Amino acid sequence: MSDTQKLTAAQRTIGDFSPKIVELTDKVLFGDVWERKELVPRDRSLITVASLITGGNSEQLGFHLGKAKDNGLTEEELIEVITHLAFYAGWPKAMSAITVAKELFAKEN
């Protein structure tokens, strides 16, 4: 395994630029919050994906759609989440999200 493969996503993308954000992301967010037992990872992923869509934060959506699949959500379920949120979060946000999902899922298949 190369050194690049051992790095977290945050370390690879912004490690040299903002080490403190990387530390907080890796230790607090993913090392503590995501590991709490009160919610299973699948539910955390569903909440996170929905929050990113409703907030219009599609730049981080690709990573979290992949993580959601790793945590047990299917492509069909994730597409349904986006479809459902089109009516609650807004059509443009859903269209942006579905574009990210389509591109990600096409790369994976």
Side-chain angles (χ1 to χ4, degrees):
M1 184 181 290
S2 73
D3 289 338
T4 304
Q5 291 173 320
K6 294 177 187 176
L7 298 176
T8 65
Q11 290 168 337
R12 282 191 306 276
T13 34
I14 59 170
D16 293 344
F17 187 70
S18 183
K20 187 61 178 180
I21 290 201
V22 170
E23 177 187 348
L24 293 169
T25 299
D26 292 345
K27 290 183 178 176
V28 178
L29 178 59
F30 289 110
D32 180 20
V33 174
W34 271 85
E35 297 301 320
R36 294 172 53 84
K37 301 302 175 206
E38 291 79 6
L39 290 173
V40 296
R42 184 184 193 281
D43 293 347
R44 287 190 190 279
S45 282
L46 187 60
I47 293 164
T48 301
V49 166
S51 295
L52 290 171
I53 294 166
T54 58
N57 299 304
S58 58
E59 64 278 350
Q60 294 201 2
L61 189 56
F63 171 81
H64 281 286
L65 287 169
K67 187 171 183 66
K69 286 180 67 180
D70 291 344
N71 287 334
L73 287 154
T74 66
E75 288 182 12
E76 292 79 17
E77 289 171 320
L78 292 167
I79 291 167
E80 187 61 25
V81 167
I82 296 167
T83 303
H84 187 76
L85 287 174
F87 295 92
Y88 291 93
W91 205 263
K93 290 176 183 175
M95 292 300 288
S96 294
I98 206 69
T99 300
V100 171
K102 180 182 178 188
E103 290 172 7
L104 177 73
F105 299 161
K107 288 179 189 174
E108 293 177 349
N109 293 329

